[in-house]
Each structure stands twice: as C-alpha cells, then as structure tokens.
C-alpha cells in the first residue's frame, strides 16, 4: 500500500498544527520551511483541509490557520480516504478493466483484503497518537525553523 504525497503532506500539516497551542495561528510559510515543501502545494492542501473541516482558516493580515477539531477527533483512516484520489492498487480495481485474466484471477480479492486491512489499521489511530511526543516535535520544528538543521537528539 502506498499513500500519495498529498495524503502524506496533509498528515504532516495536521501533526504540525497538533503540536501548537490552538490560540496560535500557523501559516504556510512556517510549515513550508519546517518540512521543506513547496508553498504552492501546501496552499492547496491547507485549502482542502479547511474544506474538509479539519482546519479553521482565518483571513486577513494576522490570519493563518489552526485545527478545527481536537487531534483526538481526527481519524487517520478517514483522512486518508478523503485525501486519496483512488485506491486502484492494480488495473482490475478500476471500472474499465483491460486485464485479460480478471474473470478468473483471485489476485484482486487478495489485494482488496490487503487494502481493507491497511485502512482498518489506519482507522485505529488519530492525529493525537502521532503528536503524543508534542514537546519533542515542537523542539524539532523550532530548531529547524531557527537553524535550518535537525536538533542533536535525532
């Protein structure tokens, strides 16, 4: 199983936001610097996370964004289902299947079971699970922002 970078970056944004006090607004620039990601790509992700109800965006000069929900309320499996375009692991998962052995092949069923198991595992976690080490994450993020290098404890 593999996630697109879109889902990966969505998770990273939410983890970053979960490490901050919800009274503080974050912005694209700081997240882009920490993760060394394109600001344009992050803008699309943040916009979508806002549309999906995961983050609250505040417009204006001192604007930014923060989590719209508690990290414990953001289920990772649900997020992945909502940010992935599709889960076509192989051609026969698509509506227009051109594989000649599809009618007699059992691989599709095995891969479908594997996909279900993958998503079931993700369903067991929330963003809170990935931000439990909040102090260490915050130290890391702050260090990267200030020095452009990783802290010594890594």
């Amino acid at each position: 199983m593999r996630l697109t970078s879109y889902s990966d970056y969505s998770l990273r944004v939410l983890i970053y936001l979960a490490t901050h006090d919800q009274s503080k607004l974050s912005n694209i620039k700081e997240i882009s610097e920490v993760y060394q990601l394109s600001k344009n790509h992050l803008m699309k992700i943040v916009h979508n996370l806002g549309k999906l109800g995961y983050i609250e965006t505040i417009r204006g000069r001192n604007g930014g964004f923060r989590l719209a929900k508690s990290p414990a309320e953001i289920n990772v499996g649900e997020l992945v289902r909502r940010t992935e375009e599709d889960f076509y692991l192989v051609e026969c998962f698509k509506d227009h299947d051109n594989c000649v052995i599809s009618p007699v092949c059992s691989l599709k069923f095995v891969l479908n079971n594997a996909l279900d198991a993958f998503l079931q595992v993700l369903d067991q976690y929330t963003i809170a699970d990935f931000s439990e080490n909040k102090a260490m994450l915050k130290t890391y993020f702050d260090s990267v922002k200030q020095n452009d290098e990783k802290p010594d404890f890594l």
Side-chain angles (χ1 to χ4, degrees):
M1 309 299 118
R2 186 177 187 153
L3 296 180
T4 61
S5 59
Y6 195 89
S7 292
D8 176 23
Y9 298 164
S10 295
L11 287 164
R12 290 192 216 183
V13 167
L14 295 174
I15 291 168
Y16 181 87
L17 296 175
T19 65
H20 288 77
D21 179 0
Q22 293 308 296
S23 64
K24 177 193 178 291
L25 295 176
S26 297
N27 61 53
I28 297 286
K29 183 178 185 266
E30 68 188 71
I31 295 176
S32 149
E33 288 172 358
V34 166
Y35 289 125
Q36 299 175 0
L37 299 172
S38 156
K39 289 179 193 173
N40 289 335
H41 197 52
L42 278 176
M43 283 194 304
K44 293 174 191 172
I45 290 167
V46 166
H47 176 74
N48 190 48
L49 290 172
K51 282 184 6 185
L52 294 173
Y54 293 112
I55 64 173
E56 171 187 18
T57 56
I58 313 304
R59 294 186 179 268
R61 182 176 183 161
N62 295 317
F65 46 89
R66 62 180 162 228
L67 291 179
K69 303 177 176 189
S70 153
E73 295 177 293
I74 302 174
N75 182 274
V76 174
E78 176 190 320
L79 174 82
V80 166
R81 285 179 185 87
R82 295 176 83 188
T83 57
E84 286 293 312
E85 286 185 18
D86 62 58
F87 289 99
Y88 300 147
L89 300 179
V90 288
E91 183 179 348
C92 56
F93 277 37
K94 298 177 184 177
D95 291 337
H96 303 291
D97 177 10
N98 293 321
C99 180
V100 296
I101 64 169
S102 280
V104 293
C105 180
S106 58
L107 177 62
K108 177 179 182 175
F109 300 105
V110 171
L111 291 176
N112 195 48
N113 287 340
L115 176 61
D116 287 344
F118 176 71
L119 292 170
Q120 284 177 15
V121 168
L122 294 179
D123 286 338
Q124 297 173 34
Y125 295 94
T126 67
I127 293 299
D129 295 313
F130 300 120
S131 58
E132 283 179 346
N133 59 340
K134 191 177 201 172
M136 190 178 284
L137 282 165
K138 185 133 177 52
T139 300
Y140 177 80
F141 293 144
D142 291 344
S143 175
V144 170
K145 281 191 283 189
Q146 292 171 4
N147 304 323
D148 256 354
E149 56 187 60
K150 295 177 184 166
D152 293 334
F153 60 80
L154 295 177

